[in-house]
């Protein structure tokens, strides 16, 4: 006479595989949804203008050359406003033009280059000067002003 336990090994294995697949699917979903939520577009000013309204409510990272003549700062409200000028994103193009410092200089001197007004609230950075490279993170407002949450400046003659 044989003893039966009532346990089917293949049914247990199937439950284990289904449970494992559900866990893997949940992890993949969480990674995909958090990546989409935290994603930022990294654009030049020309690319921003070309995309138009389609990126109105998105987090953006924009790079450009600081036009020193447009810098204004209100120390009472800690409001900094300045204009950045489009610079190319292609590293080969930057090298062919004589390097980053030369590209930034040419961009600011070009009256036909695309420009973007930036507003940032916070202390004025030490590196904010004419022809510095600005990388700003934030959102474009209904008024066309870029409201920056983060401001990174690089002076090409120093770095």
């Amino acid at each position: 006479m044989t003893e039966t336990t009532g346990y089917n090994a293949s049914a247990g294995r199937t439950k284990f595989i289904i449970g494992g697949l559900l866990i893997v699917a949940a992890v993949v979903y969480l990674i995909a949804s958090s990546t989409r939520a935290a994603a930022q577009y990294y654009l030049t000013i020309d690319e921003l203008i070309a995309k138009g309204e389609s990126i109105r409510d998105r987090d953006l990272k924009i790079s450009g050359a600081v036009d020193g003549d447009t810098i204004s700062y209100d120390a009472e409200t800690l409001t900094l406003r300045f204009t950045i000028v489009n610079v190319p994103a292609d590293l080969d193009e930057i090298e062919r033009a004589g390097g980053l410092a030369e590209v930034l200089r040419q961009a600011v001197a070009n009256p036909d280059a695309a420009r973007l007004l930036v507003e940032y609230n916070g202390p004025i950075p030490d590196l904010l000067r004419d022809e510095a490279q600005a990388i700003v993170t934030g959102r474009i407002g209904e008024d066309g002003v870029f409201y920056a949450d983060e401001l990174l400046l690089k002076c090409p003659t120093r770095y």
Side-chain angles (χ1 to χ4, degrees), residues 82-113:
F82 59 95
T83 300
I84 57 174
V85 184
N86 187 67
V87 293
D90 182 19
L91 296 177
D92 291 333
E93 186 178 340
I94 291 171
E95 278 303 311
R96 283 192 301 274
L100 183 59
E102 182 60 23
V103 167
L104 295 172
R105 188 193 65 70
Q106 290 174 6
V108 172
N110 181 358
D112 297 327

Side-chain angles (χ1 to χ4, degrees), residues 39-157:
Q40 291 179 337
Y41 284 100
Y42 186 79
L43 305 169
T44 64
I45 298 170
D46 282 344
E47 293 168 337
L48 173 71
I49 292 168
K51 290 199 180 282
E53 294 294 318
S54 67
I55 56 172
R56 177 72 59 192
D57 294 326
R58 299 217 179 219
D59 288 332
L60 305 170
K61 190 172 277 200
I62 309 291
S63 176
V66 175
D67 182 350
D69 294 336
T70 65
I71 298 171
S72 70
Y73 185 67
D74 183 346
E76 282 186 29
T77 63
L78 300 178
T79 302
L80 173 63
R81 290 175 68 101
F82 59 95
T83 300
I84 57 174
V85 184
N86 187 67
V87 293
D90 182 19
L91 296 177
D92 291 333
E93 186 178 340
I94 291 171
E95 278 303 311
R96 283 192 301 274
L100 183 59
E102 182 60 23
V103 167
L104 295 172
R105 188 193 65 70
Q106 290 174 6
V108 172
N110 181 358
D112 297 327
R115 295 168 187 269
L116 179 66
L117 180 61
V118 175
E119 184 173 303
Y120 173 75
N121 289 319
I124 191 165
D126 291 339
L127 290 178
L128 183 66
R129 63 191 67 188
D130 191 40
E131 300 175 8
Q133 181 183 16
I135 301 171
V136 291
T137 304
R139 291 181 175 226
I140 192 88
E142 293 289 327
D143 55 1
V145 175
F146 189 86
Y147 293 94
D149 301 320
E150 295 179 20
L151 170 61
L152 173 68
L153 294 159
K154 297 192 291 184
C155 181
T157 59

